[in-house]
Amino acid sequence: MVSALGMTAALGGCGSTGSSDVTLRLVAADYGDSAANSSKKYWDALAEEYEQQHPDVKVEVSVYSWNDVDRKVKEMVDAGHAPDLAQIGAYADYAAAGKLYPASDLLSIRTQADFLSQLSDAGQWKHTQYGIPFAASTRVLFYNKTLFAKAGITPPTTWDQLAADAAALKAKGVKYPYALPLGPEEAQAETMQWLLSGGNGGSGYTDDVGTYTIDSAANVATFSWLKDELVDKDLTGPVAPGKLNRAAAFAAFADGQVGMVNGHPTLIQQAGKKGVKFGMVPMPGRTGKARASMGVADWMMAFKQNGHADQIGGFLDFAYSRKNVLEFSRTYGLLPVTSSASNAMSASDAAPDKALHPFLDQLPTSELYPVGKTSWAAVSAAVKQNIGQALAPGGSPSGVLTRLQSTATAADSSSAS
């Protein structure tokens, strides 16, 4: 879940590799769910095609699960053996440590200009882009069409309608009228989607200049509404939101036990395999459509340790061609990070592309986590562990958000020093 960045036609992407017999080492995350569709197959084929066109460059690819890949790269860097390229979840710490090439030292002007601007902007640390968006995703509200028909309701466009729909679903015995996964697996995502939909200046985790605003009046009002209108009225199911993880919420939706849940594209296949009839609509806002959807991007980055800027740039220009971006996006049900590939997917009525259109529609106005802040990892971890307490019996949304704000402010100060 992805900007004009400067010059560099002379440095990268001009077809010349500058020297012979260079080996580029790439570490990448696995987006597949089995050996049959492992990302290694994609990268191996891409590397082979590139090597045929550039016989003086070899690309060695190592693919690890998302459980391991960030740690593997950190271990390599800490041991003094950084890969040339890493496609992982976060770049800011490496940028702050001076270990990465700026994107403008690598990519051709054409490639730089093709990235969706909000994704390349999110790849900036101190106003220079180091994180190169690789894959993107947004969230929409999934609803179970069968359960909605039985309850005689229509998809919500406001919070009040969502609460009314949830009450109608509960009256029909639906186990999870609205599944609210604020457990430690991915609570930061569900939280941000609600903060962005809060209206009255609801701005997610930060303001326009990047200062944490977790305990803003709008955000406190959002979580107070969730507690008063959904959780305390028993409209979120038998598992407390702070103990419900995203994977469990998605599995329950695929089992036909959930009326509504915020979801990303992987839920299409998961629910489809179980035969659930579902629809997708934009996340409701307080009084209408949410101001923004939550976007997520994963990142490509290039380490300076081994040199090879010319060869890295040439390979990345090839990897980010429209054909290759589309192939990866279609294989794994993700959104393209370039305008050329995004436009091609939007114009396509083929089944895999058409299923992603609701998510593509959200991308232009999506907002991403504050991934350019080196403090974000610590703040995200604190949100995962603590935000569920805001909705617990006797819990205080204001108190929990204030404590998280203090954690964020301290983490920001520490990372800046």
Side-chain angles (χ1 to χ4, degrees):
M1 60 150 220
V2 134
S3 134
L5 305 173
M7 35 187 226
T8 93
L11 283 175
C14 50
S16 168
T17 56
S19 62
S20 60
D21 301 322
V22 166
T23 297
L24 297 179
R25 291 177 176 82
L26 165 67
V27 177
D30 197 348
Y31 290 83
D33 56 13
S34 68
N37 70 347
S38 169
S39 298
K40 184 150 178 57
K41 294 179 71 171
Y42 171 83
W43 284 113
D44 284 349
L46 194 75
E48 183 178 354
E49 185 180 352
Y50 187 75
E51 289 168 357
Q52 289 173 353
Q53 299 174 21
H54 302 82
D56 49 355
V57 177
K58 180 172 175 55
V59 183
E60 290 183 356
V61 182
S62 301
V63 173
Y64 298 98
S65 77
W66 274 109
N67 293 330
D68 300 321
V69 67
D70 290 283
R71 175 177 54 81
K72 289 281 188 182
V73 171
K74 184 177 187 302
E75 288 171 354
M76 295 169 74
V77 173
D78 289 348
H81 302 295
D84 297 283
L85 289 158
Q87 186 272 299
I88 53 178
Y91 67 86
D93 285 347
Y94 296 123
K99 295 183 181 296
L100 301 181
Y101 283 112
S104 58
D105 284 2
L106 305 167
L107 303 172
S108 69
I109 292 173
R110 174 177 294 187
T111 300
Q112 293 174 63
D114 198 22
F115 288 115
L116 295 169
S117 60
Q118 77 273 31
L119 298 182
S120 358
D121 289 348
Q124 294 183 5
W125 180 77
K126 292 196 172 178
H127 309 295
T128 298
Q129 185 182 3
Y130 296 94
I132 304 169
F134 183 74
S137 177
T138 57
R139 304 291 167 105
V140 298
L141 185 72
F142 283 70
Y143 67 96
N144 184 310
K145 286 185 172 181
T146 304
L147 298 179
F148 265 59
K150 287 180 179 176
I153 54 178
T154 56
T157 58
T158 67
W159 286 4
D160 286 346
Q161 290 173 9
L162 186 148
D165 283 351
L169 291 163
K170 183 189 177 189
K172 290 293 183 180
V174 175
K175 187 173 181 180
Y176 294 89
Y178 177 85
L180 184 62
L182 293 174
E185 179 192 358
E186 205 189 30
Q188 83 286 0
E190 184 76 12
T191 296
M192 183 166 173
Q193 184 62 74
W194 278 98
L195 298 185
L196 289 172
S197 69
N200 299 323
S203 58
Y205 292 109
T206 60
D207 62 17
D208 291 341
V209 295
T211 302
Y212 285 111
T213 54
I214 296 173
D215 64 345
S216 69
N219 289 348
V220 171
T222 293
F223 265 77
S224 297
W225 185 90
L226 281 172
K227 188 174 190 310
D228 294 343
E229 302 301 326
L230 290 185
V231 180
D232 288 355
K233 292 184 177 178
D234 198 24
L235 299 178
T236 54
V239 180
K243 297 185 183 302
L244 182 66
N245 281 325
R246 178 191 56 82
F250 280 17
F253 186 86
D255 285 339
Q257 300 176 336
V258 174
M260 298 173 277
V261 67
N262 273 320
H264 51 63
T266 60
L267 188 53
I268 294 175
Q269 291 185 333
Q270 191 174 348
K273 286 177 182 175
K274 292 286 193 79
V276 172
K277 292 182 172 63
F278 62 88
M280 297 178 288
V281 293
M283 175 66 180
R286 183 177 283 276
T287 56
K289 182 182 173 183
R291 182 178 63 82
S293 170
M294 191 194 76
V296 178
D298 299 323
W299 304 96
M300 179 72 75
M301 61 212 70
F303 288 88
K304 295 192 295 188
Q305 180 179 330
N306 306 315
H308 305 158
D310 290 359
Q311 292 84 358
I312 291 169
F315 177 70
L316 288 178
D317 281 342
F318 173 75
Y320 281 102
S321 69
R322 185 178 77 162
K323 174 180 80 76
N324 290 327
V325 171
L326 274 172
E327 181 181 346
F328 184 87
S329 300
R330 286 167 172 161
T331 299
Y332 298 106
L334 294 161
L335 303 184
V337 296
T338 61
S339 295
S340 59
S342 189
N343 291 339
M345 186 177 278
S346 292
S348 168
D349 283 329
D353 292 346
K354 194 167 187 177
L356 292 171
H357 286 180
F359 300 91
L360 274 174
D361 292 344
Q362 300 294 308
L363 197 54
T365 58
S366 65
E367 293 193 16
L368 281 74
Y369 300 129
V371 289
K373 296 171 77 66
T374 55
S375 56
W376 170 240
V379 174
S380 175
V383 171
K384 289 180 183 182
Q385 292 301 320
N386 297 296
I387 192 66
Q389 298 169 14
L391 305 183
S396 164
S398 175
V400 171
L401 292 178
T402 297
R403 288 197 297 277
L404 286 170
Q405 176 67 28
S406 298
T407 299
T409 302
D412 223 15
S413 300
S414 175
S415 67
S417 60

